[in-house]
Amino acid sequence: MALTLLSSPLQGFTDFRFRNAFHHYFGGIDTFYAPYIRLNGKLKIKQSYQNDLLPENNTTLEVIPQVITNDPDEFLYVAKYVQSLGYKELNWNLGCPYPMVTKSGMGSGLICNPIRINEVLDKAHTETDILVSMKMRMGYENAEEILETFPILDQYPLKSIAIHARIGKQLYKGPVDLDAFEKCIGSTKHKLYYNGDITSVSAFKEIEKRFPDIDHFMIGRGLIADPFLPNMIKNNSTEYPENRWEIFSEFHDSIYQQYDEYLSGPTPIKMKMLGFWEYFSQATSNPHKTYKAIKKATNPIKYRLAVDQILKTEMKR
């Protein structure tokens, strides 16, 4: 069975700058999902969302836009907007676990409301011909919530449902619930994608072995922590390239330069890269020491020196 790997969208991380650099230096991802568009009650799309989806910013890879909303009119507005850019599919986020989203009845906070889900999907399929796919969690409070949505979802010609095998309340804490994911497989007619804790080749193999009928796997945080992971999964290998850290160094410099040009001033770029190093550090020999060194770098010159020292240390290993 052919294996398809997808990049799960992460707000603040996987924009077009990251996606293009990742695709160029590492590969292994078949399709990238763009971070969600959120309208906040106004039928207007922020410039940053527009830039992220511009066809000229996504020429070398397959990208699927995503929306987060609980409003049928907002969904329709975004659907027509992405269609105007040439996109054929819109992914609907019912997975985001963060309280500022879920308290508004969006993301995983919407899974307990099948009536509203039906209203959005009905409008989407009545008033547009866009292909709709879903990104979900098991629920917000408990893993039974998703099962109650399937009778609604099965009424529509959805392309797929990607399920992160946690509930929203967990955020990213605690283990994934593989038993709950297994219940989903027999409970819907739709094609399911697996998402959650694919952080190593061995972790992937365990999940693949558990669910032999699943052939689409979505990688989120694991892809940022170890950018070589998707290609290693594809090649069924645990061996890193000999010039691993040289490749990573070029990738790092590419995204740093682009974010430095985009963001104004030393503080925004420091915070942006600090966010990335929370993940990057996990692949180093001493994650705590690595992250601490980046955190202590108070200006761009000190940051550059810290990164150079980290990479020099890793290259010697």
Side-chain angles (χ1 to χ4, degrees), residues 42-276:
K42 296 177 183 174
L43 295 184
K44 186 178 180 185
I45 294 177
K46 283 195 323 190
Q47 192 61 49
S48 59
Y49 296 146
Q50 293 184 40
N51 293 343
D52 193 44
L53 293 176
L54 282 173
E56 56 263 38
N57 287 336
N58 297 281
T59 56
T60 60
L61 46 135
E62 183 181 8
V63 176
I64 295 172
Q66 187 182 74
V67 64
I68 192 163
T69 185
N70 57 11
D71 182 271
D73 292 326
E74 285 190 358
F75 190 100
L76 190 65
Y77 182 81
V78 174
K80 290 183 174 177
Y81 173 73
V82 301
Q83 280 187 310
S84 76
L85 296 176
Y87 294 99
K88 305 279 193 295
E89 178 181 343
L90 180 60
N91 186 261
W92 188 16
N93 184 314
L94 269 69
C96 182
Y98 292 112
M100 65 180 199
V101 168
T102 58
K103 283 177 183 173
S104 304
M106 291 190 288
S108 58
L110 183 58
I111 300 172
C112 64
N113 191 344
I115 293 171
R116 179 54 63 89
I117 292 170
N118 186 51
E119 288 171 0
V120 174
L121 289 176
D122 180 60
K123 192 164 190 105
H125 288 89
T126 303
E127 299 186 35
T128 175
D129 60 353
I130 200 161
L131 191 57
V132 179
S133 58
M134 312 285 289
K135 171 86 167 69
M136 303 180 73
R137 288 219 172 190
M138 299 294 188
Y140 183 77
E141 293 285 346
N142 64 73
E144 301 296 309
E145 288 176 27
I146 194 171
L147 299 177
E148 292 171 22
T149 71
F150 286 146
I152 299 292
L153 301 183
D154 282 353
Q155 294 175 34
Y156 297 96
L158 304 176
K159 180 189 173 187
S160 58
I161 305 171
I163 301 175
H164 183 127
R166 282 187 174 89
I167 58 170
K169 270 206 316 192
Q170 280 182 267
L171 297 178
Y172 291 97
K173 297 167 189 166
V176 285
D177 189 342
L178 299 183
D179 291 340
F181 181 83
E182 191 160 9
K183 278 188 194 173
C184 294
I185 293 174
S187 302
T188 176
K189 69 177 189 182
H190 290 302
K191 185 173 184 64
L192 300 185
Y193 298 174
Y194 176 85
N195 178 218
D197 283 12
I198 298 177
T199 53
S200 66
V201 175
S202 59
F204 169 77
K205 283 185 171 177
E206 285 297 312
I207 292 163
E208 186 184 38
K209 185 179 174 185
R210 174 83 186 260
F211 306 117
D213 293 333
I214 301 292
D215 60 359
H216 283 62
F217 297 87
M218 198 174 256
I219 308 177
R221 295 167 300 146
L223 174 146
I224 302 175
D226 185 358
F228 293 93
L229 179 60
N231 223 352
M232 290 164 71
I233 289 172
K234 281 280 182 75
N235 292 316
N236 193 24
S237 169
T238 54
E239 296 294 318
Y240 288 93
E242 282 184 24
N243 59 341
R244 171 186 181 179
W245 292 105
E246 286 87 348
I247 296 170
F248 177 82
S249 176
E250 289 182 30
F251 163 72
H252 168 275
D253 291 352
S254 172
I255 61 170
Y256 181 89
Q257 182 184 346
Q258 291 178 73
Y259 286 122
D260 196 30
E261 289 169 4
Y262 167 63
L263 300 165
S264 50
T267 302
I269 184 66
K270 175 185 167 55
M271 298 312 294
K272 170 64 79 173
M273 296 313 295
L274 190 62
F276 276 115

Side-chain angles (χ1 to χ4, degrees), residues 11-36:
Q11 211 69 11
F13 292 97
T14 57
D15 69 359
F16 73 92
R17 299 169 188 87
F18 175 87
R19 295 192 300 264
N20 286 323
F22 185 97
H23 186 65
H24 177 75
Y25 288 102
F26 305 109
I29 291 294
D30 298 289
T31 303
F32 291 81
Y33 287 76
Y36 60 66

